[in-house]
Amino acid sequence: MCGNDWEANDIEWGLLLYRGEVSQSYLWRSGQVRGYTIVIFTARHIAEPTELSDEEAAAFWRDTLTAGRALEEYYQPVKMNYLLLGNAIPHAHFHLTPRRSAGQDPAPGGPLPFAVLDLGRQNEEQLQSDARGLRDLLGCPGSSAAPR
């Protein structure tokens, strides 16, 4: 994860939505959940949240909430899930997953199997459209994805 080009608006895995204080948010291409977003701590490499200073932790959470609020407004989910895992990739990053009603959610009322987030690919046209809409909400018009 540290090897990503943090200047790019497209890191192949996802499309940049927002450059925050200490992290960047990406609308992810993989998985079966529309709106699946990853917020990656980019200020330096850390694996555990306990490695963050108090200031970094507060900034990382602010950046995550900024992305989460935009996802809530854009997708109108029943619930948002926020996961800070790092089991497969030991670099601090949040998985934000909008949860939908029973007929639209792959695991209604329960935890999402990780395969739902990892396997499959988002429709590229829909992904690009969603990214534009989310950037507008975040105050990041066009492809610059600069913070508001």
Side-chain angles (χ1 to χ4, degrees), residues 6-28:
W6 301 124
E7 298 300 316
N9 290 327
D10 185 336
I11 60 169
E12 193 172 328
W13 295 100
L15 301 174
L16 180 65
L17 296 177
Y18 176 75
R19 286 188 173 97
E21 294 177 64
V22 295
S23 63
Q24 294 184 181
S25 301
Y26 295 88
L27 189 59
W28 225 234

Side-chain angles (χ1 to χ4, degrees), residues 11-62:
I11 60 169
E12 193 172 328
W13 295 100
L15 301 174
L16 180 65
L17 296 177
Y18 176 75
R19 286 188 173 97
E21 294 177 64
V22 295
S23 63
Q24 294 184 181
S25 301
Y26 295 88
L27 189 59
W28 225 234
R29 281 193 167 93
S30 68
Q32 304 160 35
V33 177
R34 185 173 164 213
Y36 176 36
T37 297
I38 305 291
V39 181
I40 304 169
F41 186 80
T42 56
R44 60 189 173 91
H45 173 76
I46 64 154
E48 300 297 337
T50 53
E51 298 174 51
L52 294 166
S53 69
D54 290 345
E55 294 77 19
E56 289 172 324
F60 191 25
W61 188 236
R62 278 192 302 273

Side-chain angles (χ1 to χ4, degrees), residues 62-83:
R62 278 192 302 273
D63 291 349
T64 301
L65 291 177
T66 296
R69 288 181 179 117
L71 293 169
E72 284 181 359
E73 185 174 340
Y74 190 79
Y75 293 107
Q76 301 288 303
V78 172
K79 170 81 175 83
M80 282 294 301
N81 286 173
Y82 295 79
L83 301 106

Side-chain angles (χ1 to χ4, degrees), residues 17 27 70 73-75 126-140 142:
L17 296 177
L27 189 59
E73 185 174 340
Y74 190 79
Y75 293 107
Q126 183 69 67
L127 185 81
Q128 294 285 345
S129 176
D130 287 355
R132 285 189 299 274
L134 287 161
R135 287 178 187 138
D136 285 347
L137 285 174
L138 290 160
C140 308

Side-chain angles (χ1 to χ4, degrees), residues 32 78 100-108:
Q32 304 160 35
V78 172
R100 294 175 172 81
S101 60
Q104 300 174 320
D105 196 274

